[in-house]
Amino acid sequence: MPDRTDLLVVGAGPYAYSAAALARDNGIETRIVGHRMAFWRKNMPVEMFLRSGPDWHLDGNGEYTFEAFFEDRGLRPADFDPIPISVFLDYTEWFRECKRLDLDERLVTGLSKPNAGFVATMDDGTTITADKVLVAPGIGYFLNLPEWYADVPPARRSHTSQLVSFDALAGARVVIIGGRQSAYEWAALLCDHDAAQVHVVHRHSTPAFAKVSWRFVDQYVNQTLAHRGWWRGLPVERQRAIAAEFWQVGRLTLEPWLVPRIPDAVVTSHPGCAVVSTAVSEHDVTLTLSDGAALTADHVVFASGYRADLARVPYLGDVVDRISVTEGFPALSEGLETSLAGLYMTGFAATRDFGPFYGFTKGCPSAARIAVDDMLG
């Protein structure tokens, strides 16, 4: 008998967990495949903290929330401010167990649709057939790197998602390209591990360090649930205003708990600057900035974020030509369905059509509800 299911969820991160759990809650036979919270476990430092609080969770039914996890474990949220990434990972495992998500930790290497259904080829050569597929491609596929990235020797460069251990950079001179939370948090982590010098280079002004509330996002996520296609129906000016609000709170204001960890004696910011040339020697790299400064580094860290490009997701290779794509993003229906009938996408890939908040954990429960409601018709 062929291995089959009604719904195959590809990925094992927060968006995949949310969707798989809610689909099963609604009687849809569901399989979920992938390595358990792989990007969070392998591509984020164990010493990292979350910017969000315990009000962000995974459960589309609002029962097995992060706050419920704290209560179940007898923990006080006030004792975890900011929240260590390890605590969030404990929550995701608790959620998976509570929802009885039996995770198949094989990887999908290819996806095809030879007829009305889908065929997923697994890394052991076997296949799973499914009527519908929901994919939640992780941001690890979408690294955004400047053109001059290749000028830096591989041994002397890392994207933040690749640099999760810092002991080897004790005593090193490091230049970080980027100026958002990851840039300054990696600067703090480098200082924690005794880097000699850290220069942070970014085009925008130096961000503020202040406590902010992410509650402003709630109203927008609620609108996506109350009104199908809400974000795409907004005037462009309104979309830009919301994106600017999100940028101001989430990008140009960084967490105050970073400040004591980025001493002026070690960390220097270079706001309003870009790299205009590189020179590589046997022992280091020299970056010349647009203001004329020359920075010599043992290692360059690219905190340059992510940019959608669906063609980079390897398991979609056989179907990507059948998916309508705009600026690297899939064109999604009001129910998160791609132009290839029966194929759904959530997470970062949905941010163009559903708003910037769907690149964050906050969007998990609502994305699950939107997709599952669409599948149920």
Side-chain angles (χ1 to χ4, degrees):
M1 292 290 290
D3 195 356
R4 72 158 310 280
T5 185
D6 291 341
L7 172 65
L8 178 67
V9 175
V10 181
Y15 275 88
Y17 277 14
S18 290
L22 192 65
R24 288 190 57 188
D25 287 348
N26 281 272
I28 300 174
E29 180 190 19
T30 303
R31 292 275 298 276
I32 178 172
V33 297
H35 290 169
R36 182 170 49 103
M37 294 293 293
F39 189 85
W40 291 72
R41 294 182 184 277
K42 296 179 181 179
N43 299 93
M44 296 184 184
V46 295
E47 301 150 291
M48 183 177 164
F49 292 98
L50 303 189
R51 301 195 68 189
S52 55
D55 55 319
W56 289 18
H57 65 90
L58 305 184
D59 194 357
N61 285 327
E63 181 181 2
Y64 294 101
T65 64
F66 204 178
E67 291 167 330
F69 164 79
F70 275 99
E71 183 177 353
D72 181 72
R73 293 294 172 88
L75 304 174
R76 295 192 326 133
D79 294 334
F80 298 90
D81 185 16
I83 297 172
I85 189 173
S86 60
V87 175
F88 181 72
L89 287 171
D90 287 345
Y91 162 60
T92 63
E93 188 64 10
W94 176 83
F95 175 82
R96 188 183 69 81
E97 292 172 355
C98 289
K99 289 293 190 177
R100 295 181 174 84
L101 292 179
D102 299 321
L103 181 61
D104 181 340
E105 294 211 51
R106 294 178 297 167
L107 296 180
V108 173
T109 58
L111 185 68
S112 62
K113 191 180 184 186
N115 43 51
F118 293 86
V119 177
T121 301
M122 311 306 292
D123 57 10
D124 62 358
T126 61
T127 61
I128 300 174
T129 60
D131 297 332
K132 293 182 172 65
V133 175
L134 183 145
V135 300
I139 57 174
Y141 294 116
F142 304 129
L143 304 191
N144 181 34
L145 300 166
E147 291 182 0
W148 56 269
Y149 169 83
D151 297 340
V152 182
R156 297 195 177 278
R157 73 188 187 208
S158 303
H159 187 273
T160 47
S161 65
Q162 299 162 337
L163 180 63
V164 297
S165 177
F166 302 87
D167 288 339
L169 293 174
R173 301 161 297 173
V174 182
V175 174
I176 298 176
I177 307 301
R180 296 178 283 182
Q181 178 71 19
S182 63
Y184 281 94
E185 187 161 6
W186 263 244
L189 289 162
L190 285 161
C191 290
D192 293 345
H193 291 265
D194 301 320
Q197 297 176 10
V198 180
H199 293 271
V200 187
V201 179
H202 44 82
R203 292 187 176 90
H204 56 75
S205 58
T206 300
F209 293 87
K211 188 72 173 177
V212 297
S213 172
W214 290 82
R215 291 288 186 183
F216 79 96
V217 178
D218 294 356
Q219 61 178 314
Y220 302 134
V221 172
N222 290 340
Q223 288 291 336
T224 66
L225 288 172
H227 306 286
R228 283 175 60 88
W230 170 76
W231 175 261
R232 76 187 66 205
L234 292 177
V236 172
E237 295 78 10
R238 180 60 178 148
Q239 288 184 343
R240 289 174 177 167
I242 294 173
E245 180 183 13
F246 197 89
W247 182 266
Q248 182 62 45
V249 174
R251 297 293 190 259
L252 294 183
T253 307
L254 307 183
E255 299 301 321
W257 40 262
L258 288 174
V259 175
R261 297 169 55 200
I262 47 174
D264 293 340
V266 180
V267 179
T268 303
S269 295
H270 299 266
C273 289
V275 173
V276 295
S277 68
T278 61
V280 178
S281 74
E282 183 180 353
H283 303 291
D284 50 38
V285 178
T286 299
L287 307 179
T288 301
L289 306 186
S290 51
D291 67 354
L295 307 178
T296 300
D298 302 300
H299 202 84
V300 181
V301 178
F302 293 87
S304 43
Y306 303 87
R307 180 179 59 193
D309 183 357
L310 212 60
R312 293 186 188 175
V313 183
Y315 59 80
L316 294 178
D318 290 337
V319 296
V320 71
D321 289 343
R322 300 168 67 183
I323 301 171
S324 178
V325 175
T326 302
E327 298 175 345
F329 290 94
L332 300 176
S333 74
E334 295 176 352
L336 286 162
E337 189 176 19
T338 71
S339 58
L340 181 58
L343 178 64
Y344 293 76
M345 286 195 196
T346 60
F348 179 72
T351 54
R352 181 181 181 274
D353 285 340
F354 283 81
F357 7 96
Y358 283 89
F360 292 79
T361 307
K362 174 64 182 179
C364 290
S366 58
R369 289 175 60 185
I370 291 167
V372 171
D373 285 350
D374 193 81
M375 293 175 194
L376 294 172

